[in-house]
């Protein structure tokens, strides 16, 4: 893969997978495969925001959180129960909140059968095994070597299986423990016994860390779905000797947990450190506690630090466990009205805009149709065919994406040169690469004869043809951005720097160069676009970048690093020293920077009618567009309306746009709206790409305060 990281969503947990975390991700997958399923149910109380692993990666070094994009940003727990996490505050209203640990323990044994979960039975799934422990006694935190001897060789020697503490049917489960086979019937493995209280099920309760004899069991030695729901396939006894006062934080069951935040006050978008202690719920491998989530609830802390609540769904009850309630005060961020009158310049739209303006002075509007490139000029529209592109893509080794037999449709277009048909027209096409993920990518192709023939654009060294990531105009210069091919030796400081190929003579010559800074304001821009699946967890995105040295090198801020581009996203200079980021697909809809793009601050605004706080608008939902006069326009579907609303500079209320036909407003429900000069351009929602485009004068948008 070109990129060293990706997000994967499994069950309730969002993992950030990097080379350093392959082991933990593998163990998680094994745990699910072995049958450790988790039932989900809505919490008993309404929440403003629920966070599992942070959706926005933490990056604030001031509280001990790593600035590295590839660091461990999830919640971690030690075998002694110590909790540590970095959490970015959601875009929630100001006020008092409490942060708790939350999870639903998996039902096992007879409890799982009562909920309709199948428990495997039979000798084939429960091979007889005798376990020997070394040592067979010791204090909390002892690492125990477990040797198992089977009566007969198994059908398959598993590389990972489960161990259990205090019985497999109710106790602490160690999922995906690595097993080493010494011979066909003998294996070795190890586990660290708990150094903190743990949670048992059937019924759900906290088992205190006290001296006594405990069973260590083995499970899932026979590969069968659901094996983790049953009992052990062999066990041995370990004697635990607990020194007096070893768990001073768990004096009573109701207070057997606590959490603390640092700092105790923060703005939306700030990162806080969360520390504390909690009982063990489950373990991945031999010594990695796992499967807690963080939850941010409105209102200050109240009640006991340990709460087990039952909710009923689908005719059976589910236990919801809450641990700790750390206080947090969310402060009010700056408001949109406080930004004053805005004069947006150097406006850049994220993604690959299918409708764009031509180079400076050309007077062209360029857009991608069905099998055509369309150039709208002062004397009408010129149409260029993309039919020759299909055989060219096949010749280059790429598969076309689209209806079989139809000419490829472009995703974005740019040109260089004057006239109704510029000397050079370059278009981006979606292709299916054959060598690596993602399953789709973009390539840029050019024509210098009005579409009669097409050819490949030169690619800068260090990039691939299907790493194309967008167009830029800089006066008469046309720039093509490319992603760097991934290399494990690539210095982190250069990862964000795009590779650029440029021409200013109609494509007669091309040269590799640095990405140019915007024509106005700070040197802040967007890096190469990456195609993705907007219907899934890995959507299209684009890095936010800034340059401290006028474009010689480019860096990414700690936050935000990458912008989702499945919905409308814009970057604009709003005053000589300030930039505004408008991101419809983020819970942080507006962010402002006065530090040249190095740091960004969340900006609050009144919620558009029919939307909810703390959540991104999402694909197919509302879309924000920044207009040339500094007003925000919201379009798209929300709460059964597709009416347009306007938020003018310094305003504290949205006003409904009047005087436009409902058909015009509905037609802009799903596609981004392009701001070109004094006009809005978009494709009709039901036909994209289309044989036609819609356009509207911005001066025709009027509204009335409700």
């Amino acid at each position: 893969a070109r990129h060293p990281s990706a997000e994967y969503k499994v069950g309730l947990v969002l993992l950030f997978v990097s080379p350093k975390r392959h082991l933990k991700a593998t163990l998680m997958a094994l745990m699910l495969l072995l049958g450790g399923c988790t039932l989900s149910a809505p919490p008993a109380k309404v929440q403003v925001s629920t966070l599992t692993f942070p959706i926005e990666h933490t990056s604030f070094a001031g509280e001990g959180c790593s600035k590295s994009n590839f660091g461990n940003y999830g919640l971690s727990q030690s075998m002694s129960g110590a909790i540590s996490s970095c959490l970015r505050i959601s875009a929630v209203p100001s006020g008092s909140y409490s942060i708790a640990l939350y999870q639903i323990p998996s039902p096992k044994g007879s409890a799982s059968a009562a909920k309709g979960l199948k428990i495997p039975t039979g000798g084939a799934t429960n091979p007889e095994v005798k376990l020997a422990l070394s040592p067979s006694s010791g204090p909390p935190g002892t690492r125990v070597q477990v040797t198992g001897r089977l009566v007969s060789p198994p059908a398959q020697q598993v590389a990972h299986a489960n161990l259990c503490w205090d019985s497999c049917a109710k106790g602490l489960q160690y999922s995906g423990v690595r097993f080493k086979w010494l011979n066909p019937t003998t294996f070795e493995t190890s586990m660290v016994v708990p150094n903190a209280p743990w949670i048992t099920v059937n019924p759900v309760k906290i088992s205190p860390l006290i001296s006594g004899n405990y069973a260590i069991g083995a499970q899932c030695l026979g590969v069968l779905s659901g094996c983790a729901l049953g009992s052990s396939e062999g066990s041995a006894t370990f004697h635990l000797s607990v020194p007096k006062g070893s768990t001073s934080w768990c004096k009573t069951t109701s207070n057997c947990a606590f959490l603390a935040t640092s700092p105790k006050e923060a703005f939306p978008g700030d990162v806080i450190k969360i520390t504390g202690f909690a009982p063990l719920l489950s373990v991945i491998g031999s010594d990695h506690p796992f499967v807690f989530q963080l939850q941010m609830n409105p209102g200050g802390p109240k009640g006991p630090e340990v709460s087990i609540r039952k909710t009923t769904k689908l005719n059976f009850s589910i236990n919801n466990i809450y641990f700790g309630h750390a206080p947090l005060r969310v402060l009010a961020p700056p408001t949109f009205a406080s930004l004053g009158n805005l004069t947006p310049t150097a406006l850049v739209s994220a993604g690959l805009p299918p409708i764009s303006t031509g180079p400076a002075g050309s007077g062209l509007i360029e857009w991608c149709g069905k099998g055509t490139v369309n150039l709208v000029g002062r004397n009408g529209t010129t149409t260029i065919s993309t039919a020759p592109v299909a055989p060219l893509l096949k010749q280059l080794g790429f598969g076309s994406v689209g209806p079989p037999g139809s000419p490829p449709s472009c995703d974005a277009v740019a040109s260089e040169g004057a006239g109704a048909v510029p000397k050079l027209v370059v278009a981006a096409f979606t292709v299916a690469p054959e060598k690596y993920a993602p399953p789709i990518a973009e390539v840029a192709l050019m024509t210098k004869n009005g579409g009669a023939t097409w050819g490949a654009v030169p690619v800068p060294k260090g990039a691939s043809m299907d790493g194309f990531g967008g167009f830029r105009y800089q006066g008469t210069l046309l720039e093509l951005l490319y992603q760097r091919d991934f290399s494990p030796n690539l210095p982190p400081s250069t990862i964000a720097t795009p590779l650029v190929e440029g021409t200013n003579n109609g494509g007669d010559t091309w040269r590799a160069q640095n990405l140019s800074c915007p024509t106005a304001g700070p040197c802040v821009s967007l890096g190469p676009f990456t195609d993705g699946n907007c219907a899934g967890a890995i959507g299209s995105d684009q890095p936010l970048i800034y340059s401290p040295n006028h474009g010689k090198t480019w860096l990414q801020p700690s936050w935000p690093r990458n912008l989702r581009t499945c919905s409308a996203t814009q970057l604009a200079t709003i005053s000589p020293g300030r930039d505004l980021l408008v991101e419809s697909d983020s819970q942080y809809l507006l962010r402002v920077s006065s530090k040249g793009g190095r740091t960004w601050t969340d900006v609050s605004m009144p919620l558009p009618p029919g939307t909810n706080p703390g959540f991104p608008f999402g694909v197919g939902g509302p879309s924000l567009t920044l207009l040339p006069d500094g007003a925000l326009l919201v379009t798209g579907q929300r709460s059964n309306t597709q009416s347009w609303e306007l938020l003018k500079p310094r305003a504290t209320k949205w006003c409904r746009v009047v005087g436009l036909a409902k058909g015009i407003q509905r037609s802009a429900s799903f596609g981004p709206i392009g701001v070109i000069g004094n006009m809005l351009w978009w494709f009709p929602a039901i036909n994209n790409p289309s044989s036609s485009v819609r356009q509207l004068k911005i001066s025709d948008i009027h509204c009335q305060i409700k």
Side-chain angles (χ1 to χ4, degrees):
R2 177 179 291 115
H3 297 290
S5 62
E7 287 178 338
Y8 297 91
K9 195 169 187 177
V10 182
L12 293 173
V13 182
L14 186 66
L15 295 177
F16 179 79
V17 181
S18 73
K20 294 182 180 179
R21 297 190 64 187
H22 285 165
L23 173 60
K24 193 166 185 179
T26 301
L27 293 176
M28 174 62 183
L30 283 165
M31 181 189 72
L32 296 173
L33 179 63
L34 294 174
C37 57
T38 299
L39 298 178
S40 62
K45 65 189 296 185
V46 177
Q47 299 145 19
V48 172
S49 178
T50 298
L51 299 177
T52 55
F53 289 91
I55 295 173
E56 304 282 354
H57 301 313
T58 58
S59 56
F60 184 55
E63 293 300 328
C65 298
S66 171
K67 286 185 175 180
S68 169
N69 192 38
F70 307 128
N72 182 356
Y73 299 117
L75 183 149
S76 63
Q77 185 181 27
S78 71
M79 291 299 291
S80 64
I83 296 292
S84 178
S85 181
C86 297
L87 176 69
R88 189 174 296 282
I89 305 303
S90 299
V92 296
S94 60
S96 296
Y97 292 84
S98 63
I99 296 176
L101 296 173
Y102 163 75
Q103 192 50 279
I104 303 171
S106 299
K108 306 176 200 174
S110 59
S112 62
K115 293 174 172 55
L117 300 174
K118 184 178 179 180
I119 302 174
T121 59
T125 63
N126 293 287
E128 295 182 15
V129 58
K130 293 183 178 180
L131 298 184
L133 309 178
S134 179
S136 59
S137 64
T142 299
R143 179 173 286 275
V144 179
Q145 179 174 301
V146 181
T147 303
R149 293 179 174 86
L150 280 72
V151 173
S152 58
Q156 177 183 349
Q157 291 184 350
V158 295
H160 297 83
N162 292 354
L163 295 177
C164 312
W165 172 265
D166 195 21
S167 93
C168 289
K170 66 172 184 176
L172 186 63
Q173 190 174 72
Y174 293 63
S175 301
V177 183
R178 182 178 292 277
F179 277 45
K180 177 183 178 181
W181 290 86
L182 305 180
N183 58 53
T185 59
T186 307
F187 64 81
E188 281 185 351
T189 185
S190 69
M191 64 179 288
V192 174
V193 303
N195 195 13
W198 62 92
I199 301 166
T200 61
V201 297
N202 311 335
V204 175
K205 65 178 183 178
I206 297 174
S207 290
L209 190 65
I210 58 177
S211 299
N213 292 328
Y214 296 91
I216 291 179
Q219 192 183 57
C220 294
L221 298 175
V223 180
L224 186 68
S225 176
C227 61
L229 299 174
S231 59
S232 65
E233 296 154 16
S235 65
T237 299
F238 182 88
H239 180 77
L240 185 67
S241 299
V242 181
K244 186 177 180 180
S246 60
T247 52
S248 58
W249 52 272
C250 188
K251 296 180 179 179
T252 63
T253 299
S254 62
N255 292 302
C256 195
F258 74 90
L259 294 179
T261 57
S262 177
K264 298 183 183 301
E265 292 185 339
F267 291 96
D270 283 350
V271 175
I272 62 173
K273 183 77 172 181
I274 299 174
T275 55
F277 288 88
L280 305 176
L281 177 64
S282 65
V283 180
I284 302 297
S286 63
D287 57 0
H288 293 287
F290 197 62
V291 194
F292 273 121
Q293 302 174 59
L294 282 172
Q295 192 170 87
M296 186 171 167
N297 299 309
K302 59 182 178 181
E305 300 255 11
V306 175
S307 175
I308 301 174
R309 311 171 195 168
K310 281 190 175 182
T311 58
T312 301
K313 187 177 183 181
L314 300 178
N315 298 321
F316 60 83
S317 61
I318 295 175
N319 290 291
N320 302 268
I321 305 177
Y322 298 85
F323 286 126
H325 42 47
L328 175 69
R329 181 75 180 174
V330 177
L331 305 174
T335 64
F336 176 74
S338 70
L339 299 180
N341 294 327
L342 310 180
T343 55
T345 58
L347 185 66
V348 177
S349 295
L352 297 179
I355 308 173
S356 61
T357 182
S362 68
L364 289 177
I365 304 297
E366 308 159 336
W367 58 279
C368 295
K370 289 184 175 180
T372 61
V373 170
N374 302 278
L375 306 174
V376 183
R378 298 179 181 88
N379 298 321
T381 300
T382 301
T383 300
I384 295 175
S385 173
T386 59
V389 168
L392 175 60
L393 290 176
K394 185 176 181 180
Q395 178 184 344
L396 294 172
F398 299 109
S400 299
V401 176
S406 62
S409 295
C410 65
D411 299 309
V413 61
S415 62
E416 204 285 310
V421 180
K423 180 178 179 181
L424 172 69
V425 174
V426 186
F429 296 87
T430 301
V431 298
E434 299 177 348
K435 296 181 180 179
Y436 53 79
I440 57 175
E442 302 290 334
V443 299
L445 304 175
M446 65 179 178
T447 178
K448 300 170 73 173
N449 52 19
T453 59
W454 289 78
V457 174
V459 177
K461 184 179 179 181
S464 300
M465 184 179 296
D466 52 0
F468 172 75
F471 300 111
R472 295 283 193 280
Y473 288 118
Q474 188 77 3
T476 60
L477 177 65
L478 173 61
E479 298 178 332
L480 276 63
L481 277 64
Y482 285 84
Q483 305 170 43
R484 292 175 179 268
D485 288 336
F486 171 69
S487 169
N489 299 321
L490 191 65
S493 60
T494 63
I495 291 176
T497 303
L499 297 174
V500 179
E501 197 78 12
T503 183
N504 61 358
N505 56 10
D508 290 340
T509 58
W510 294 82
R511 65 179 181 275
Q513 61 185 64
N514 295 328
L515 177 65
S516 301
C517 292
T519 55
C523 195
V524 184
S525 189
L526 302 178
F529 164 83
T530 300
D531 228 331
N533 179 13
C534 288
I538 308 175
S540 302
D541 63 23
Q542 202 161 356
L544 178 65
I545 56 178
Y546 71 93
S547 176
N549 49 21
H550 305 290
K552 291 181 181 179
T553 57
W554 293 83
L555 305 172
Q556 286 183 274
S558 297
W559 176 80
R561 296 180 66 84
N562 294 292
L563 310 176
R564 293 268 295 191
T565 59
C566 293
S567 299
T569 296
Q570 296 169 289
L571 174 66
T573 297
I574 56 175
S575 66
R578 288 192 302 173
D579 285 292
L580 182 68
L581 179 62
V582 183
E583 189 179 4
S584 298
D585 204 14
S586 170
Q587 59 174 304
Y588 308 97
L589 298 173
L590 300 178
R591 280 172 280 200
V592 67
S593 174
S594 58
K595 303 293 185 180
R598 293 173 178 82
T599 59
W600 293 80
T601 300
D602 178 58
V603 176
S604 69
M605 67 178 186
L607 284 174
T611 60
N612 297 314
F615 293 93
F617 286 171
V619 180
S623 181
L624 281 179
T625 302
L626 181 65
L627 301 181
D629 63 354
L632 291 171
L633 175 68
V634 64
T635 59
Q637 178 67 44
R638 60 196 187 282
S639 296
N640 299 318
T641 180
Q642 294 170 318
S643 63
W644 292 10
E645 302 271 349
L646 203 63
L647 183 66
K648 297 182 178 181
R650 297 186 180 275
T652 57
K653 293 183 179 180
W654 290 85
C655 58
R656 176 163 294 185
V657 174
V658 296
L660 297 180
K662 290 185 178 180
I664 291 179
Q665 298 178 62
R666 285 196 299 267
S667 70
S669 292
F670 292 94
I673 294 180
V675 179
I676 303 176
N678 62 352
M679 303 285 291
L680 299 182
W681 295 73
W682 70 93
F683 286 116
I686 59 174
N687 201 13
N688 187 4
S690 173
S691 57
S692 62
V693 292
R694 292 288 182 92
Q695 54 181 296
L696 179 71
K697 290 183 178 180
I698 296 176
S699 59
D700 290 339
I701 300 176
H702 306 285
C703 69
Q704 59 183 14
I705 300 293
K706 298 176 184 179

